[in-house]
PDB file of all heavy atoms in Angstrom:
ATOM      1  N   LEU A 154      95.582  94.159 112.103  1.00 98.00           N
ATOM      2  CA  LEU A 154      95.836  95.363 112.843  1.00 98.00           C
ATOM      3  C   LEU A 154      94.522  95.752 113.477  1.00 98.00           C
ATOM      4  O   LEU A 154      93.596  96.196 112.775  1.00 98.00           O
ATOM      5  CB  LEU A 154      96.381  96.460 111.902  1.00 98.00           C
ATOM      6  CG  LEU A 154      97.667  96.047 111.128  1.00 98.00           C
ATOM      7  CD1 LEU A 154      98.112  97.156 110.219  1.00 98.00           C
ATOM      8  CD2 LEU A 154      98.764  95.628 112.090  1.00 98.00           C
ATOM      9  N   LEU A 155      94.399  95.592 114.767  1.00 98.00           N
ATOM     10  CA  LEU A 155      93.107  95.610 115.482  1.00 98.00           C
ATOM     11  C   LEU A 155      92.838  96.950 116.145  1.00 98.00           C
ATOM     12  O   LEU A 155      93.591  97.316 117.060  1.00 98.00           O
ATOM     13  CB  LEU A 155      93.112  94.501 116.514  1.00 98.00           C
ATOM     14  CG  LEU A 155      91.901  94.356 117.421  1.00 98.00           C
ATOM     15  CD1 LEU A 155      90.676  93.970 116.563  1.00 98.00           C
ATOM     16  CD2 LEU A 155      92.137  93.320 118.504  1.00 98.00           C
ATOM     17  N   PRO A 156      91.805  97.699 115.707  1.00 97.00           N
ATOM     18  CA  PRO A 156      91.480  98.957 116.384  1.00 97.00           C
ATOM     19  C   PRO A 156      91.088  98.673 117.864  1.00 97.00           C
ATOM     20  O   PRO A 156      90.040  98.069 118.099  1.00 97.00           O
ATOM     21  CB  PRO A 156      90.285  99.481 115.569  1.00 97.00           C
ATOM     22  CG  PRO A 156      90.382  98.790 114.255  1.00 97.00           C
ATOM     23  CD  PRO A 156      90.967  97.444 114.564  1.00 97.00           C
ATOM     24  N   ALA A 157      91.909  99.102 118.808  1.00 95.00           N
ATOM     25  CA  ALA A 157      91.728  98.712 120.193  1.00 95.00           C
ATOM     26  C   ALA A 157      90.713  99.568 120.912  1.00 95.00           C
ATOM     27  O   ALA A 157      90.124  99.124 121.869  1.00 95.00           O
ATOM     28  CB  ALA A 157      93.066  98.726 120.899  1.00 95.00           C
ATOM     29  N   ASN A 158      90.572 100.849 120.501  1.00 94.00           N
ATOM     30  CA  ASN A 158      89.717 101.748 121.212  1.00 94.00           C
ATOM     31  C   ASN A 158      89.319 102.881 120.265  1.00 94.00           C
ATOM     32  O   ASN A 158      90.136 103.399 119.518  1.00 94.00           O
ATOM     33  CB  ASN A 158      90.445 102.343 122.436  1.00 94.00           C
ATOM     34  CG  ASN A 158      89.641 103.367 123.154  1.00 94.00           C
ATOM     35  OD1 ASN A 158      89.822 104.544 122.921  1.00 94.00           O
ATOM     36  ND2 ASN A 158      88.788 102.928 124.043  1.00 94.00           N
ATOM     37  N   ALA A 159      88.066 103.262 120.316  1.00 95.00           N
ATOM     38  CA  ALA A 159      87.572 104.358 119.411  1.00 95.00           C
ATOM     39  C   ALA A 159      86.249 104.863 119.904  1.00 95.00           C
ATOM     40  O   ALA A 159      85.524 104.160 120.604  1.00 95.00           O
ATOM     41  CB  ALA A 159      87.445 103.840 117.975  1.00 95.00           C
ATOM     42  N   PRO A 160      85.874 106.100 119.474  1.00 94.00           N
ATOM     43  CA  PRO A 160      84.532 106.610 119.808  1.00 94.00           C
ATOM     44  C   PRO A 160      83.414 105.798 119.207  1.00 94.00           C
ATOM     45  O   PRO A 160      82.272 105.963 119.654  1.00 94.00           O
ATOM     46  CB  PRO A 160      84.585 108.034 119.234  1.00 94.00           C
ATOM     47  CG  PRO A 160      86.032 108.403 119.111  1.00 94.00           C
ATOM     48  CD  PRO A 160      86.716 107.082 118.797  1.00 94.00           C
ATOM     49  N   TRP A 161      83.733 104.942 118.226  1.00 95.00           N
ATOM     50  CA  TRP A 161      82.690 104.217 117.526  1.00 95.00           C
ATOM     51  C   TRP A 161      82.656 102.765 117.946  1.00 95.00           C
ATOM     52  O   TRP A 161      81.950 101.931 117.311  1.00 95.00           O
ATOM     53  CB  TRP A 161      82.918 104.310 116.023  1.00 95.00           C
ATOM     54  CG  TRP A 161      84.366 104.125 115.601  1.00 95.00           C
ATOM     55  CD1 TRP A 161      85.278 105.135 115.432  1.00 95.00           C
ATOM     56  CD2 TRP A 161      85.040 102.917 115.286  1.00 95.00           C
ATOM     57  NE1 TRP A 161      86.498 104.611 115.044  1.00 95.00           N
ATOM     58  CE2 TRP A 161      86.380 103.230 114.972  1.00 95.00           C
ATOM     59  CE3 TRP A 161      84.679 101.583 115.304  1.00 95.00           C
ATOM     60  CZ2 TRP A 161      87.341 102.285 114.629  1.00 95.00           C
ATOM     61  CZ3 TRP A 161      85.614 100.623 114.963  1.00 95.00           C
ATOM     62  CH2 TRP A 161      86.911 100.989 114.628  1.00 95.00           C
ATOM     63  N   SER A 162      83.381 102.375 119.005  1.00 95.00           N
ATOM     64  CA  SER A 162      83.430 100.969 119.353  1.00 95.00           C
ATOM     65  C   SER A 162      83.320 100.747 120.848  1.00 95.00           C
ATOM     66  O   SER A 162      83.458 101.675 121.665  1.00 95.00           O
ATOM     67  CB  SER A 162      84.742 100.334 118.841  1.00 95.00           C
ATOM     68  OG  SER A 162      85.832 100.711 119.679  1.00 95.00           O
ATOM     69  N   LYS A 163      83.090  99.499 121.233  1.00 93.00           N
ATOM     70  CA  LYS A 163      83.193  99.072 122.614  1.00 93.00           C
ATOM     71  C   LYS A 163      83.977  97.769 122.625  1.00 93.00           C
ATOM     72  O   LYS A 163      84.155  97.101 121.604  1.00 93.00           O
ATOM     73  CB  LYS A 163      81.813  98.885 123.235  1.00 93.00           C
ATOM     74  CG  LYS A 163      80.886  97.969 122.500  1.00 93.00           C
ATOM     75  CD  LYS A 163      79.491  98.009 123.111  1.00 93.00           C
ATOM     76  CE  LYS A 163      78.510  97.086 122.393  1.00 93.00           C
ATOM     77  NZ  LYS A 163      77.139  97.161 122.986  1.00 93.00           N
ATOM     78  N   MET A 164      84.427  97.372 123.824  1.00 94.00           N
ATOM     79  CA  MET A 164      85.325  96.247 123.906  1.00 94.00           C
ATOM     80  C   MET A 164      84.759  94.943 123.322  1.00 94.00           C
ATOM     81  O   MET A 164      85.478  94.146 122.711  1.00 94.00           O
ATOM     82  CB  MET A 164      85.809  96.045 125.327  1.00 94.00           C
ATOM     83  CG  MET A 164      86.959  95.017 125.424  1.00 94.00           C
ATOM     84  SD  MET A 164      87.653  94.904 127.076  1.00 94.00           S
ATOM     85  CE  MET A 164      88.335  96.528 127.303  1.00 94.00           C
ATOM     86  N   SER A 165      83.453  94.716 123.565  1.00 95.00           N
ATOM     87  CA  SER A 165      82.872  93.489 123.048  1.00 95.00           C
ATOM     88  C   SER A 165      82.990  93.418 121.551  1.00 95.00           C
ATOM     89  O   SER A 165      83.194  92.326 120.972  1.00 95.00           O
ATOM     90  CB  SER A 165      81.403  93.396 123.487  1.00 95.00           C
ATOM     91  OG  SER A 165      80.601  94.431 122.930  1.00 95.00           O
ATOM     92  N   GLU A 166      82.853  94.572 120.865  1.00 96.00           N
ATOM     93  CA  GLU A 166      82.952  94.613 119.385  1.00 96.00           C
ATOM     94  C   GLU A 166      84.396  94.374 118.974  1.00 96.00           C
ATOM     95  O   GLU A 166      84.626  93.726 117.937  1.00 96.00           O
ATOM     96  CB  GLU A 166      82.442  95.972 118.882  1.00 96.00           C
ATOM     97  CG  GLU A 166      80.956  96.160 119.121  1.00 96.00           C
ATOM     98  CD  GLU A 166      80.493  97.577 118.807  1.00 96.00           C
ATOM     99  OE1 GLU A 166      81.315  98.519 119.034  1.00 96.00           O
ATOM    100  OE2 GLU A 166      79.346  97.728 118.369  1.00 96.00           O
ATOM    101  N   VAL A 167      85.341  94.929 119.688  1.00 96.00           N
ATOM    102  CA  VAL A 167      86.750  94.659 119.380  1.00 96.00           C
ATOM    103  C   VAL A 167      87.065  93.177 119.459  1.00 96.00           C
ATOM    104  O   VAL A 167      87.709  92.606 118.568  1.00 96.00           O
ATOM    105  CB  VAL A 167      87.671  95.461 120.354  1.00 96.00           C
ATOM    106  CG1 VAL A 167      89.146  95.103 120.122  1.00 96.00           C
ATOM    107  CG2 VAL A 167      87.449  96.959 120.211  1.00 96.00           C
ATOM    108  N   ILE A 168      86.581  92.539 120.516  1.00 97.00           N
ATOM    109  CA  ILE A 168      86.825  91.098 120.693  1.00 97.00           C
ATOM    110  C   ILE A 168      86.150  90.322 119.556  1.00 97.00           C
ATOM    111  O   ILE A 168      86.745  89.417 118.950  1.00 97.00           O
ATOM    112  CB  ILE A 168      86.344  90.632 122.058  1.00 97.00           C
ATOM    113  CG1 ILE A 168      87.171  91.295 123.175  1.00 97.00           C
ATOM    114  CG2 ILE A 168      86.409  89.111 122.159  1.00 97.00           C
ATOM    115  CD1 ILE A 168      86.638  91.072 124.566  1.00 97.00           C
ATOM    116  N   ASP A 169      84.867  90.633 119.313  1.00 97.00           N
ATOM    117  CA  ASP A 169      84.129  89.901 118.269  1.00 97.00           C
ATOM    118  C   ASP A 169      84.781  90.038 116.885  1.00 97.00           C
ATOM    119  O   ASP A 169      84.782  89.120 116.095  1.00 97.00           O
ATOM    120  CB  ASP A 169      82.700  90.385 118.212  1.00 97.00           C
ATOM    121  CG  ASP A 169      81.855  89.902 119.375  1.00 97.00           C
ATOM    122  OD1 ASP A 169      82.308  89.006 120.085  1.00 97.00           O
ATOM    123  OD2 ASP A 169      80.742  90.463 119.577  1.00 97.00           O
ATOM    124  N   PHE A 170      85.318  91.251 116.588  1.00 98.00           N
ATOM    125  CA  PHE A 170      85.958  91.474 115.346  1.00 98.00           C
ATOM    126  C   PHE A 170      87.237  90.608 115.217  1.00 98.00           C
ATOM    127  O   PHE A 170      87.440  89.972 114.154  1.00 98.00           O
ATOM    128  CB  PHE A 170      86.336  92.961 115.198  1.00 98.00           C
ATOM    129  CG  PHE A 170      87.042  93.320 113.902  1.00 98.00           C
ATOM    130  CD1 PHE A 170      86.474  93.073 112.709  1.00 98.00           C
ATOM    131  CD2 PHE A 170      88.280  93.945 113.958  1.00 98.00           C
ATOM    132  CE1 PHE A 170      87.109  93.411 111.494  1.00 98.00           C
ATOM    133  CE2 PHE A 170      88.922  94.291 112.812  1.00 98.00           C
ATOM    134  CZ  PHE A 170      88.342  94.031 111.563  1.00 98.00           C
ATOM    135  N   ALA A 171      88.023  90.600 116.246  1.00 98.00           N
ATOM    136  CA  ALA A 171      89.236  89.762 116.218  1.00 98.00           C
ATOM    137  C   ALA A 171      88.893  88.300 115.982  1.00 98.00           C
ATOM    138  O   ALA A 171      89.545  87.599 115.180  1.00 98.00           O
ATOM    139  CB  ALA A 171      90.021  89.942 117.508  1.00 98.00           C
ATOM    140  N   VAL A 172      87.862  87.832 116.658  1.00 98.00           N
ATOM    141  CA  VAL A 172      87.461  86.425 116.509  1.00 98.00           C
ATOM    142  C   VAL A 172      86.896  86.169 115.114  1.00 98.00           C
ATOM    143  O   VAL A 172      87.147  85.137 114.470  1.00 98.00           O
ATOM    144  CB  VAL A 172      86.404  86.054 117.566  1.00 98.00           C
ATOM    145  CG1 VAL A 172      85.802  84.673 117.307  1.00 98.00           C
ATOM    146  CG2 VAL A 172      87.037  86.098 118.962  1.00 98.00           C
ATOM    147  N   ALA A 173      86.140  87.127 114.570  1.00 98.00           N
ATOM    148  CA  ALA A 173      85.546  86.937 113.233  1.00 98.00           C
ATOM    149  C   ALA A 173      86.600  86.918 112.131  1.00 98.00           C
ATOM    150  O   ALA A 173      86.492  86.109 111.214  1.00 98.00           O
ATOM    151  CB  ALA A 173      84.552  88.060 112.967  1.00 98.00           C
ATOM    152  N   VAL A 174      87.601  87.749 112.237  1.00 98.00           N
ATOM    153  CA  VAL A 174      88.671  87.747 111.217  1.00 98.00           C
ATOM    154  C   VAL A 174      89.513  86.502 111.359  1.00 98.00           C
ATOM    155  O   VAL A 174      89.983  85.934 110.338  1.00 98.00           O
ATOM    156  CB  VAL A 174      89.541  88.996 111.354  1.00 98.00           C
ATOM    157  CG1 VAL A 174      90.705  88.966 110.378  1.00 98.00           C
ATOM    158  CG2 VAL A 174      88.703  90.256 111.107  1.00 98.00           C
ATOM    159  N   ARG A 175      89.751  86.073 112.608  1.00 97.00           N
ATOM    160  CA  ARG A 175      90.419  84.807 112.908  1.00 97.00           C
ATOM    161  C   ARG A 175      91.860  84.798 112.343  1.00 97.00           C
ATOM    162  O   ARG A 175      92.386  83.757 111.905  1.00 97.00           O
ATOM    163  CB  ARG A 175      89.611  83.611 112.359  1.00 97.00           C
ATOM    164  CG  ARG A 175      89.832  82.277 113.058  1.00 97.00           C
ATOM    165  CD  ARG A 175      89.353  82.310 114.465  1.00 97.00           C
ATOM    166  NE  ARG A 175      87.929  82.562 114.528  1.00 97.00           N
ATOM    167  CZ  ARG A 175      86.973  81.618 114.516  1.00 97.00           C
ATOM    168  NH1 ARG A 175      87.339  80.335 114.431  1.00 97.00           N
ATOM    169  NH2 ARG A 175      85.704  81.908 114.615  1.00 97.00           N
ATOM    170  N   ALA A 176      92.524  85.957 112.348  1.00 98.00           N
ATOM    171  CA  ALA A 176      93.930  85.997 111.942  1.00 98.00           C
ATOM    172  C   ALA A 176      94.765  85.377 113.088  1.00 98.00           C
ATOM    173  O   ALA A 176      94.506  85.650 114.249  1.00 98.00           O
ATOM    174  CB  ALA A 176      94.357  87.428 111.703  1.00 98.00           C
ATOM    175  N   PRO A 177      95.796  84.596 112.776  1.00 98.00           N
ATOM    176  CA  PRO A 177      96.590  84.001 113.818  1.00 98.00           C
ATOM    177  C   PRO A 177      97.298  85.021 114.707  1.00 98.00           C
ATOM    178  O   PRO A 177      97.584  84.733 115.862  1.00 98.00           O
ATOM    179  CB  PRO A 177      97.607  83.154 113.051  1.00 98.00           C
ATOM    180  CG  PRO A 177      96.955  82.869 111.750  1.00 98.00           C
ATOM    181  CD  PRO A 177      96.137  84.094 111.433  1.00 98.00           C
ATOM    182  N   ARG A 178      97.596  86.222 114.136  1.00 97.00           N
ATOM    183  CA  ARG A 178      98.251  87.245 114.938  1.00 97.00           C
ATOM    184  C   ARG A 178      97.487  88.553 114.832  1.00 97.00           C
ATOM    185  O   ARG A 178      96.971  88.922 113.769  1.00 97.00           O
ATOM    186  CB  ARG A 178      99.670  87.464 114.396  1.00 97.00           C
ATOM    187  CG  ARG A 178     100.607  86.294 114.613  1.00 97.00           C
ATOM    188  CD  ARG A 178     102.003  86.576 114.092  1.00 97.00           C
ATOM    189  NE  ARG A 178     101.986  86.720 112.624  1.00 97.00           N
ATOM    190  CZ  ARG A 178     103.058  87.029 111.898  1.00 97.00           C
ATOM    191  NH1 ARG A 178     104.226  87.254 112.478  1.00 97.00           N
ATOM    192  NH2 ARG A 178     102.951  87.088 110.595  1.00 97.00           N
ATOM    193  N   ALA A 179      97.433  89.272 115.961  1.00 97.00           N
ATOM    194  CA  ALA A 179      96.769  90.567 115.983  1.00 97.00           C
ATOM    195  C   ALA A 179      97.600  91.549 116.802  1.00 97.00           C
ATOM    196  O   ALA A 179      98.188  91.188 117.834  1.00 97.00           O
ATOM    197  CB  ALA A 179      95.382  90.449 116.598  1.00 97.00           C
ATOM    198  N   TYR A 180      97.708  92.766 116.251  1.00 97.00           N
ATOM    199  CA  TYR A 180      98.461  93.848 116.928  1.00 97.00           C
ATOM    200  C   TYR A 180      97.537  95.062 117.064  1.00 97.00           C
ATOM    201  O   TYR A 180      96.777  95.352 116.173  1.00 97.00           O
ATOM    202  CB  TYR A 180      99.705  94.239 116.120  1.00 97.00           C
ATOM    203  CG  TYR A 180     100.708  93.121 115.980  1.00 97.00           C
ATOM    204  CD1 TYR A 180     100.659  92.314 114.813  1.00 97.00           C
ATOM    205  CD2 TYR A 180     101.674  92.900 116.923  1.00 97.00           C
ATOM    206  CE1 TYR A 180     101.593  91.274 114.702  1.00 97.00           C
ATOM    207  CE2 TYR A 180     102.584  91.886 116.782  1.00 97.00           C
ATOM    208  CZ  TYR A 180     102.561  91.076 115.664  1.00 97.00           C
ATOM    209  OH  TYR A 180     103.461  90.029 115.516  1.00 97.00           O
TER     210      TYR A 180
END
Side-chain angles (χ1 to χ4, degrees):
L154 304 178
L155 178 65
N158 176 265
W161 43 269
S162 76
K163 56 186 179 181
M164 190 174 296
S165 64
E166 295 171 326
V167 174
I168 295 171
D169 287 346
F170 179 58
V172 171
V174 176
R175 206 65 63 88
R178 292 180 294 177
Y180 297 95

